[in-house]
Amino acid sequence: MFARTVFCLFVFRFSPVTIRLKSIKNIQKITKSMKMVAAAKYSRAERSLKPARVYGTGAMALYEKAEIKAPEDKNKHLIIGVSSDRGLCGAIHSSVAKAMKNEIAKLLGAGKEVMIVNVGDKLRGLLYRTHGQHILINCKEVGRKPPTFTDASIIATELLDSGYEFDQGSILFNRFRSVISYKTDEKPLFSLDTVANSENMGIYDDIDADVLRNYQEFALVNIIYFGMKESTTSEQSARMTAMDSASKNASEMIDKLTLTFNRTRQAVITKELIEIISGAAAL
Amino acid sequence: VMAARFLLRRAVPALRHARCYADAPAAQMSFTFASPTQVFFKEASVKQIDVPTLTGAFGILPAHVPTLQVLRPGIVTVFGDDGSSTKYFVSSGSVTVNADSSVQLLAEEAVPLDSLDLATAKANLEKAQSELVGVSDEAARAEVLISVEANEAIVKALE
């Protein structure tokens, strides 16, 4: 008789409710730890973002102060999308991909030629099916470690070596605003010809073609570096938020399931007792 | 009459000088000096900056003519408004002087000069020079040449 009670409770212990409860508790542990890892990475990224921002705005100062604008009739465009390889960070990748798709549609509608550079495997996954023929370069292994200037220079070297002579371009990345918010932003890239022929460049003294080319290549790396730094910080803060809400949702489910579990447990025990009592009464 | 003409001629250049500088206020320089990982000056007001560029070293004062230059390994000296000067060693980068007297000095790597060690620099220089003898591949040769140039500049800066 007791054996049967024990058997019932044994079966009960592996009922769907208990299995589900155990798995959700494990998931909650994982999301909690992911949140803490993301928080640590976020604070490190935010600290290194401060000098990178000064550096990046300094690099773009020339284009803003000289008011360099690309001429409207140029055809070859380049879009660099900056994201990363890893998911579970909210709308980070999809917002950049959406902005890139809009930009491509607009440019193709105006009859321009567009090529894109994907920094981050997730972007490749989102774009290769519909815009595969526009992809120039894909970058992997982005996001595991904090981006360095060397990474940006590798990307820029690949771009310059690819042979695609773009007339103008833009870099799309998630600009970090605060722990809970980021915004998909766009910064312009100018080609050597655009800068050299821009009207305000005449006031800059003593520039020969070689110096300007070196300067432009360095500026390209700087802008890519700036985009990558902002993107990482946004991504880590978004992952922190996403994992936090996942842990909260898991807690809610655990509470509900625990109530169900207790109710079921009490029901089983009650049933056992009733059977025992009614059996004893029958004897 | 001759004397009067002499006086007139002598006076004119002086007048021209006075007219030039009479109403041009010295523009304040907004100086930003940063590397990808560190900011040394952000929109600061300084008196003069000496930079080493590919076309030679030159000093930048407020109201310098706008220019773009690319840096070579060497020392950057910043003269503050109070007369003090600090030296940094930069590896490479770019300098932009805009029309509104703002200067952006972006260095790929920059360190204060006193954090460099002369003995280590000399050892690196010797190693780079010995590598130069044995290397044959174009790209590797360019890298070693860059290493030699940078180390030579460090040693020269520290001596």
Side-chain angles (χ1 to χ4, degrees):
Chain A
M1 217 175 298
F2 285 122
R4 218 178 71 187
T5 315
V6 166
F7 176 70
C8 265
L9 282 174
F10 178 77
V11 166
F12 169 68
R13 266 191 65 69
F14 292 94
S15 74
V17 180
T18 48
I19 295 171
R20 197 147 181 240
L21 197 55
K22 192 154 189 196
S23 85
I24 293 181
K25 277 189 179 160
N26 284 338
I27 289 177
Q28 195 202 29
K29 278 194 207 133
I30 294 172
T31 53
K32 256 201 188 138
S33 68
M34 279 189 79
K35 175 189 159 199
M36 289 204 283
V37 168
K41 288 191 176 172
Y42 158 73
S43 58
R44 189 155 43 126
E46 208 217 343
R47 247 180 291 135
S48 71
L49 181 63
K50 277 211 207 95
R53 262 193 180 158
V54 175
Y55 190 76
T57 38
M60 293 184 285
L62 166 71
Y63 304 114
E64 285 160 15
K65 292 201 196 243
E67 288 176 12
I68 297 185
K69 275 187 266 290
E72 285 299 318
D73 56 345
K74 291 299 175 136
N75 273 346
K76 288 193 167 186
H77 280 250
L78 176 77
I79 301 180
I80 303 181
V82 184
S83 186
S84 84
D85 285 356
R86 284 151 166 222
L88 295 177
C89 47
I92 292 278
H93 308 296
S94 53
S95 57
V96 172
K98 197 166 75 164
M100 284 171 83
K101 282 184 188 168
N102 285 341
E103 199 55 36
I104 293 174
K106 206 168 57 170
L107 290 169
L108 287 178
K112 318 268 187 187
E113 186 188 327
V114 177
M115 290 298 264
I116 55 180
V117 173
N118 292 327
V119 179
D121 218 26
K122 285 284 178 187
L123 280 180
R124 186 190 65 90
L126 287 169
L127 290 173
Y128 86 99
R129 207 164 278 152
T130 47
H131 298 89
Q133 72 271 31
H134 296 288
I135 295 182
L136 184 65
I137 301 173
N138 282 318
C139 305
K140 280 170 75 160
E141 295 294 316
V142 177
R144 213 152 49 92
K145 286 195 263 197
T148 60
F149 194 77
T150 321
D151 298 333
S153 69
I154 292 173
I155 297 173
T157 316
E158 266 310 307
L159 177 58
L160 293 166
D161 286 345
S162 72
Y164 181 65
E165 304 278 344
F166 64 95
D167 297 314
Q168 66 179 102
S170 47
I171 178 167
L172 295 163
F173 57 96
N174 289 309
R175 184 170 53 90
F176 173 73
R177 283 208 300 205
S178 81
V179 187
I180 52 169
S181 91
Y182 60 87
K183 191 168 178 297
T184 312
D185 206 5
E186 178 181 348
K187 291 283 180 216
L189 300 166
F190 300 103
S191 71
L192 192 53
D193 291 329
T194 313
V195 174
N197 298 332
S198 167
E199 46 185 78
N200 283 338
M201 281 310 284
I203 59 170
Y204 287 88
D205 180 49
D206 186 30
I207 301 178
D208 58 10
D210 229 4
V211 166
L212 192 59
R213 194 161 57 90
N214 284 331
Y215 186 89
Q216 273 292 93
E217 289 180 2
F218 189 63
L220 180 66
V221 184
N222 290 345
I223 294 183
I224 295 178
Y225 174 73
F226 173 65
M228 286 173 85
K229 275 288 184 200
E230 293 265 355
S231 170
T232 322
T233 316
S234 309
E235 182 199 333
Q236 296 300 346
S237 76
R239 188 168 291 128
M240 209 167 72
T241 320
M243 290 297 102
D244 186 37
S245 50
S247 307
K248 281 210 190 79
N249 291 344
S251 300
E252 267 175 48
M253 285 179 85
I254 288 172
D255 288 340
K256 268 199 237 150
L257 279 174
T258 311
L259 281 174
T260 320
F261 174 74
N262 283 334
R263 244 181 282 136
T264 321
R265 184 176 59 90
Q266 285 163 354
V268 166
I269 292 175
T270 311
K271 184 163 105 59
E272 285 298 306
L273 283 173
I274 289 176
E275 281 183 6
I276 292 169
I277 292 169
S278 60
L283 280 177
Chain B
V1 169
M2 284 273 276
R5 215 185 294 154
F6 260 120
L7 274 170
L8 201 61
R9 240 180 246 150
R10 280 254 188 85
V12 168
L15 271 174
R16 221 181 283 142
H17 266 273
R19 216 176 289 141
C20 262
Y21 291 105
D23 47 339
Q28 280 285 64
M29 186 197 307
S30 158
F31 178 47
T32 306
F33 175 22
S35 76
T37 47
Q38 206 181 346
V39 175
F40 298 100
F41 290 89
K42 182 181 169 181
E43 290 170 7
S45 160
V46 295
K47 216 166 53 169
Q48 180 183 337
I49 319 151
D50 289 337
V51 288
T53 70
L54 282 182
T55 51
F58 65 104
I60 303 175
L61 288 127
H64 190 278
V65 84
T67 182
L68 304 176
Q69 291 293 345
V70 173
L71 302 176
R72 64 180 306 169
I75 314 181
V76 164
T77 319
V78 180
F79 297 92
D81 276 339
D82 53 355
S84 65
S85 75
T86 17
K87 292 186 192 239
Y88 302 89
F89 185 83
V90 297
S91 67
S92 57
S94 67
V95 62
T96 315
V97 182
N98 300 108
D100 60 357
S101 224
S102 63
V103 180
Q104 286 89 27
L105 180 61
L106 303 170
E108 192 168 334
E109 283 184 35
V111 288
L113 200 58
D114 34 12
S115 62
L116 290 173
D117 176 38
L118 180 58
T120 326
K122 277 196 172 144
N124 286 342
L125 177 60
E126 278 167 25
K127 195 166 74 106
Q129 279 168 337
S130 61
E131 268 175 30
L132 188 58
V133 178
V135 75
S136 56
D137 172 31
E138 272 300 313
R141 192 182 160 77
E143 279 184 28
V144 176
L145 277 174
I146 292 173
S147 174
V148 167
E149 186 189 349
N151 283 313
E152 271 176 358
I154 298 180
V155 169
K156 198 162 76 105
L158 289 172
E159 275 171 353

